């Protein structure tokens, strides 16, 4: 009899403990950071997109033109109200629209909208934040026209209160390049934290070459815009490992290491060069 009472008591204690743990631990607690890939023309009800820590109703609506095989316009509805509209040229048509919900560690929420057209260009692509009923641009993802063309986004990552964007660009200076810029949340804004990103890939990656061959005379500077420390002459070979890119993306410098010599920065190009003005012999333009 005593053993029976003990068994029943033990079972009751285990049951109460299990109930307590169930109540104390939410069944579907969201991680602090998030990077949710979203589908166009699908309604979501499980995500906070306004930043109030409550689930919202989200629909990214885009009409599909079956004949042209393209999306025609784009609207974003949040809780039944239009928060964003893209129905004017040159952003009217897109082969695809990549959408991502990005949530920082501090709870701030952003929405990335990346339309893709010919040559993988992304006209009007940006990361938005919901404010006063509308999506406001927080990061312009298509602001590289001063250093090259055919800009695209290859990858977006979220870590802590930072958003990392890997860009691919047909630069005027080197042809194809890709690099990552990090944007940090600070005082209510996302600010570009990186100004000297490493080159992830260039056209050299496909040519399986290590050195660039100078095709003209160039000044080598101690720092971007700084004092001259050497002269790079035609025929000299250099390695290029990173670039300098100001926050407005209007200035670019290339970090070079002269084979058997000094290293420093040379000024990059902000417009398409003529055939005689190409910086290095290995530069290839496409698209």
């Amino acid at each position: 009899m005593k053993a029976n009472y003990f068994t029943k008591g033990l079972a009751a204690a285990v049951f109460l403990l299990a109930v307590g743990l169930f109540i104390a631990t939410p069944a579907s607690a969201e991680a602090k950071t998030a990077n949710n890939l979203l589908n166009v023309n699908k309604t979501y009800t499980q995500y906070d997109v306004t930043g109030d820590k409550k689930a919202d109703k989200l629909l990214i609506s885009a009409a599909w033109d079956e004949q042209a095989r393209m999306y025609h316009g784009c609207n974003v509805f949040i809780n039944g109200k239009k928060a964003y509209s893209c129905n004017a040229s040159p952003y009217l048509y897109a082969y695809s629209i990549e959408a991502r919900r990005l949530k920082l560690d501090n709870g701030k929420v952003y929405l990335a909208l990346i339309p893709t057209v010919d040559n993988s260009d992304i006209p009007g692509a940006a990361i938005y934040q919901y404010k006063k009923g509308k999506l406001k641009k927080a990061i312009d993802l298509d602001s590289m026209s001063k250093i090259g063309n055919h800009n695209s986004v290859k990858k977006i990552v979220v870590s802590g209160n930072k958003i990392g964007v890997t860009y691919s660009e047909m630069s005027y200076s080197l042809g194809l390049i890709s690099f990552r810029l990090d944007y940090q949340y600070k005082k209510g804004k996302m600010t570009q934290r990186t100004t000297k990103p490493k080159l992830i890939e260039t056209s050299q990656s496909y040519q399986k070459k290590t050195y660039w061959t100078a095709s003209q005379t160039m000044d080598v500077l101690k720092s971007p815009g700084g004092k001259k420390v050497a002269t790079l002459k035609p025929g000299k070979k250099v390695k290029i490992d990173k670039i300098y890119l100001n926050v407005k993306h209007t200035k670019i410098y290339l970090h070079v290491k002269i084979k058997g010599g000094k290293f420093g920065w040379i000024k990059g190009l902000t417009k398409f060069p003529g055939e005689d003005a190409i910086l290095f012999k290995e530069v290839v333009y496409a698209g």
Side-chain angles (χ1 to χ4, degrees), residues 202-263:
T202 68
S203 57
Q204 296 282 56
S205 305
Y206 302 98
Q207 298 178 40
K208 296 182 179 180
K209 294 181 179 179
T210 302
Y211 290 95
W212 300 85
T213 308
S215 59
Q216 59 178 282
T217 300
M218 292 172 273
D219 291 338
V220 180
L221 312 176
K222 184 176 182 180
S223 60
K227 182 180 177 181
K228 178 180 175 180
V229 294
T231 300
L232 184 61
K233 295 183 178 181
K236 280 287 187 179
K237 294 187 178 295
V238 300
K239 287 183 178 181
I240 303 175
D241 61 345
K242 58 185 174 182
I243 63 173
Y244 166 84
L245 184 62
N246 66 338
V247 294
K248 293 183 178 181
H249 307 158
T250 56
K251 295 180 181 180
I252 182 172
Y253 288 81
L254 315 175
H255 187 256
V256 302
K257 183 175 184 352
I258 303 173
K259 188 175 183 180
K262 296 184 177 181
F263 59 88

Side-chain angles (χ1 to χ4, degrees), residues 19-39:
V19 170
L21 288 172
F22 178 80
I23 295 173
T25 305
S28 58
E30 185 184 3
K32 287 188 176 182
T33 59
N35 187 349
N36 308 113
L37 182 63
L38 307 173
N39 292 323

Side-chain angles (χ1 to χ4, degrees), residues 20 33 54 61-62 70 80 84 87 110 119 124 151 173 186 190 205 220 231 242 246 262:
T33 59
K54 297 179 182 178
S61 174
M70 298 182 80
Y84 171 85
N87 291 302
Y110 296 86
N119 297 307
N151 175 55
S173 304
K186 186 177 181 181
M190 295 301 299
S205 305
V220 180
T231 300
K242 58 185 174 182
N246 66 338
K262 296 184 177 181

